[in-house]
Amino acid sequence: MSAKAVLLLVCFTFLCFKPLQEKTTIYSIGDSTMSNYPIEDGYPLRGWMMMIAPMFKEGVAINNAASSGRSSKSFRDEGRWKKVIDQVKKGDYVFIQFGHNDAKTDTARHTDAPTTFRQNLLDYVLQTKAKGAQPVLFTSIVRRKFDRNGMLQDTHGEYVTVVRKLAAELKIPLVDLNKKFGDLVQALGPEESKKLFLYVEPKQFERAPDGKKDDTHLCVYGATKVAALAIEGLKETGLPLAKFIR
């Protein structure tokens, strides 16, 4: 066999058995508004990260580690963060959204917005960057709480402000879901906005035999809307991740 033929054979073999390109992974850490839920019985409770995968092209893998009831403190204390950061590799992304449970009064979850909450977020950001990955901060979505004049009320206070300020200070990409989703909820108003949240009639599901009126957690439609707003915000950041968005 001639040298030229051997070279062609080697090239052909390399092309045929070239390993698949490793996917960029998006890890998400946060609370119940972001987390995964069982869907087998048709119960419509969803976290918004459950709905985001179809909005990306191939080349992106989603690892949603968000967990119901967790704060920026308890997520780390329970060892959940270590399981995530140990997997993160260069070029990956970590979506960070806390605040809903940080205001809880129990010692396992409570953080002070300008001090311990800020420090926890800072630690997540710096440890992500140390792995060569890209952190993205997300503000907490609003709760459905209107006053008598039909104006949406703020229920997160400084916890949202701290996220915005930290993102600006560190020049970390921010997706302001609190603002984006809040605008949508306000535009729909007190009655129409219910369709975004977990409102279930009695006797529909074994998990909620008496029905459910939940102004914090999302239904399928609401979670899909929030996921779309997250995608909108990611496009606005100009991150390379945007090229994978459908």
Side-chain angles (χ1 to χ4, degrees):
M1 184 181 292
S2 68
K4 184 176 181 180
V6 171
L7 179 61
L8 288 172
L9 180 61
V10 170
C11 291
F12 177 77
T13 303
F14 174 78
L15 290 172
C16 287
F17 295 96
K18 185 179 179 181
L20 294 174
Q21 185 176 2
E22 195 169 16
K23 288 186 176 183
T24 296
T25 301
I26 298 172
Y27 294 89
S28 49
I29 63 172
D31 53 47
S32 57
T33 62
M34 194 188 216
S35 65
N36 292 334
Y37 294 96
I39 61 174
E40 291 78 11
D41 62 354
Y43 193 65
L45 174 62
R46 299 290 187 276
W48 63 263
M49 275 298 295
M50 293 179 69
M51 318 306 291
I52 207 168
M55 301 178 186
F56 285 99
K57 302 173 186 175
E58 290 186 12
V60 170
I62 305 294
N63 187 324
N64 185 15
S67 186
S68 180
R70 272 62 189 188
S71 70
S72 66
K73 178 181 185 295
S74 63
F75 192 87
R76 180 186 295 278
D77 290 349
E78 293 174 3
R80 296 173 185 273
W81 172 238
K82 187 179 187 305
K83 291 179 181 178
V84 172
I85 197 61
D86 283 352
Q87 300 177 69
V88 172
K89 65 183 185 302
K90 184 177 180 180
D92 286 340
Y93 290 79
V94 179
F95 292 178
I96 304 164
Q97 180 203 264
F98 289 104
H100 268 276
N101 298 305
D102 284 80
K104 304 291 186 183
T105 56
D106 58 286
T107 56
R109 293 183 289 180
H110 179 74
T111 63
D112 175 65
T115 57
T116 48
F117 177 63
R118 181 187 182 282
Q119 186 61 51
N120 289 340
L121 295 182
L122 178 60
D123 290 343
Y124 288 132
V125 165
L126 295 180
Q127 290 168 26
T128 298
K129 290 172 71 68
K131 294 293 291 281
Q134 175 63 65
V136 183
L137 290 170
F138 290 76
T139 52
S140 296
I141 64 169
V142 300
R143 295 184 176 95
R144 183 187 159 277
K145 183 179 181 181
F146 289 88
D147 66 17
R148 65 180 64 186
N149 297 314
M151 297 303 296
L152 189 64
Q153 299 298 288
D154 174 34
T155 64
H156 293 301
E158 282 190 281
Y159 291 96
V160 166
T161 304
V162 165
V163 179
R164 290 171 179 154
K165 287 183 176 179
L166 186 64
E169 177 186 334
L170 300 179
K171 295 182 171 55
I172 297 297
L174 171 72
V175 177
D176 197 345
L177 284 183
N178 186 268
K179 175 69 166 60
K180 289 179 177 293
F181 189 51
D183 287 346
L184 174 60
V185 173
Q186 181 65 72
L188 290 173
E191 287 303 313
E192 278 296 298
S193 62
K194 289 178 182 178
K195 66 184 182 183
L196 298 167
F197 293 86
L198 189 63
Y199 273 65
V200 175
E201 293 297 320
K203 300 180 181 179
Q204 277 190 300
F205 300 98
E206 288 185 9
R207 272 197 263 174
D210 298 324
K212 189 80 171 178
K213 295 181 180 180
D214 186 335
D215 293 319
T216 296
H217 298 97
L218 303 165
C219 64
V220 176
Y221 177 70
T224 303
K225 282 291 190 182
V226 174
L229 292 172
I231 289 291
E232 177 184 276
L234 289 169
K235 289 180 179 178
E236 292 167 356
T237 66
L239 287 168
L241 184 64
K243 70 183 179 182
F244 291 106
I245 295 173
R246 294 187 185 277

